[in-house]
C-alpha cells in the first residue's frame, strides 16, 4: 500500500508520487483494459464451469457405481492435479496453427475457420478462457457431486411421490441443497479469474497487443521488467479491493438462512 504512493524502480530511492499511480489505473488504456479482461474471464472461469459442473454432477449422480462413473470423475478432475504451467503449455500446442484444434477443424471440412488462435486479436481472449473452463470444470463438478451426496435421499423420494420430474427435482431439491457448495465454487473461481496469471503468462503473455492482458501479468511486467514498482503496487492493491468487493456479497448470500 505504501509504495503505491511513490515512484520507485525497486533499487534507488523512492520519490513521492501522490495519487499519480492510482490515476494511471483509470487513465492508461492498457491498465484499464487488463481489469476489463479479468472480468471477461469471470464468464469462462466461473459462469461456464459452475453451470456445466451442475449438469455434470447431476448426470453422474444418476449413474450406477461402476467403471464409467469412476472414469468420468477422474477425467473431469485430472486438470486440477496438473500444474497450471503445464496446462498452459499443452493448450498452446493445441491452439497452434498445426495443433489439435485446427487439425480437427480441417478433418471436418472447416478449413476456413482455422487460425493461430492465441495470436488472433478477436479470439485470443476466448481461447484463454476455454483453458479456464477446462481447468475449473473438474473442481466444480467434484465439489458439487460431494454436495449432492449429502442431500437427504428422502427429499428426492418425496419429490418423486409428488410427481416431480428430473427437472423439477433439480430445481426443488438439488439446487437449494447445494447453496454452500455453489458459494465455495463461485468464490474460488472468481478469485482465480480476477487474479489469473499462470495460464495467461504461459499462453500469450498478455498479447496479441493487450487483448489478453490481465492485472496479474501487468503487475509482473511493471515490477520485474519495467521497474515501475509504485504503479504495480497501486494496481495490486486495486485488484485486492476489487476481489473483496466482488466476493463480499457472495459470502453474505451464502450465510443467509
Amino acid at each position: 500500500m505504501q509504495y503505491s504512493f511513490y515512484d520507485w524502480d525497486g533499487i534507488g530511492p523512492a520519490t513521492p508520487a501522490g495519487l499519480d499511480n492510482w490515476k494511471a489505473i483509470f487513465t492508461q488504456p492498457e491498465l484499464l483494459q487488463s481489469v476489463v479482461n479479468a472480468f471477461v474471464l469471470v464468464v469462462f472461469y466461473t459462469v461456464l464451469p459452475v453451470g456445466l459442473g451442475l449438469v455434470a454432477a447431476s448426470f453422474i449422480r444418476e449413474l450406477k457405481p461402476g467403471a464409467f462413473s469412476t472414469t468420468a470423475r477422474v477425467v473431469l478432475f485430472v486438470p486440477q492435479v496438473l500444474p497450471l504451467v503445464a496446462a498452459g503449455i499443452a493448450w498452446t500446442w493445441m491452439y497452434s496453427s498445426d495443433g489439435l484444434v485446427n487439425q480437427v477443424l480441417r478433418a471436418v471440412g472447416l478449413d476456413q475457420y482455422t487460425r493461430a488462435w492465441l495470436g488472433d486479436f478477436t479470439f485470443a481472449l476466448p481461447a484463454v478462457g476455454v483453458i479456464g473452463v477446462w481447468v475449473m470444470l473438474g473442481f466444480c463438478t467434484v465439489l458439487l457431486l460431494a454436495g449432492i451426496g449429502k442431500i437427504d435421499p428422502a427429499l428426492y423420494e418425496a419429490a418423486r411421490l409428488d410427481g416431480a420430474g428430473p427437472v423439477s427435482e433439480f430445481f426443488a431439491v438439488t439446487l437449494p441443497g447445494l447453496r454452500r457448495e455453489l458459494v465455495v465454487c463461485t468464490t474460488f473461481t472468481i478469485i482465480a479469474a480476477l487474479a489469473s496469471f499462470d495460464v495467461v503468462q504461459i499462453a500469450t503473455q498478455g498479447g496479441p497487443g493487450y487483448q489478453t492482458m490481465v492485472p496479474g501479468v501487468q503487475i509482473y511486467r511493471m515490477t520485474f521488467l519495467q521497474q515501475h514498482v509504485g504503479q504495480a503496487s497501486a494496481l495490486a492493491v486495486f485488484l485486492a479491493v476489487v476481489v473483496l468487493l466482488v466476493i463480499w456479497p457472495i459470502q453474505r448470500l451464502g450465510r443467509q438462512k
Side-chain angles (χ1 to χ4, degrees), residues 156-168:
Y156 287 105
E157 292 178 12
R160 289 180 193 131
L161 288 174
D162 289 340
V167 176
S168 302

Side-chain angles (χ1 to χ4, degrees), residues 182-200:
L182 287 171
V183 168
V184 173
C185 281
T186 306
T187 302
F188 180 83
T189 53
I190 285 180
I191 293 174
L194 296 179
S196 57
F197 172 78
D198 310 61
V199 170
V200 178

Side-chain angles (χ1 to χ4, degrees), residues 109-123:
L110 297 175
D111 300 55
Q112 67 273 26
Y113 296 109
T114 60
R115 67 196 71 223
W117 294 90
L118 295 176
D120 189 286
F121 276 78
T122 302
F123 292 98

Side-chain angles (χ1 to χ4, degrees), residues 4 6-7 14 21 31 48-49 59 67 70 77-80 99 146 170 175 184 193 205 210 214-215 222 250 257:
S4 68
Y6 286 85
D7 275 334
N21 292 329
L31 297 185
L48 291 176
F59 174 72
T70 304
F77 198 68
V78 160
Q80 276 299 308
F170 174 78
L175 205 53
V184 173
Q205 297 183 354
Y210 289 95
V214 291
M222 288 192 297
I250 297 173
K257 294 184 179 179

Side-chain angles (χ1 to χ4, degrees), residues 51-61 76 137 141 145:
L52 294 174
L54 274 171
V55 174
S58 301
F59 174 72
I60 293 174
R61 172 185 167 274
L76 285 170
L137 178 59
T141 302
L145 199 55

Side-chain angles (χ1 to χ4, degrees), residues 24-102:
I25 297 174
F26 303 98
T27 55
Q28 291 189 12
E30 63 270 23
L31 297 185
L32 194 57
Q33 181 66 42
S34 70
V35 176
V36 173
N37 288 344
F39 276 97
V40 173
L41 287 182
V42 170
V43 176
F44 294 94
Y45 276 66
T46 303
V47 178
L48 291 176
V50 172
L52 294 174
L54 274 171
V55 174
S58 301
F59 174 72
I60 293 174
R61 172 185 167 274
E62 298 297 330
L63 295 176
K64 294 180 180 178
F68 182 74
S69 173
T70 304
T71 304
R73 296 177 195 220
V74 170
V75 169
L76 285 170
F77 198 68
V78 160
Q80 276 299 308
V81 299
L82 290 177
L84 289 177
V85 173
I89 293 172
W91 277 91
T92 302
W93 290 341
M94 288 195 286
Y95 278 137
S96 66
S97 299
D98 295 322
L100 180 63
V101 175
N102 285 331

Side-chain angles (χ1 to χ4, degrees), residues 54 144 147-148 151 173-183:
L54 274 171
L144 294 172
I148 289 177
I151 297 175
V173 180
T174 304
L175 205 53
L178 289 176
R179 189 172 67 174
R180 291 187 177 181
E181 285 77 11
L182 287 171
V183 168

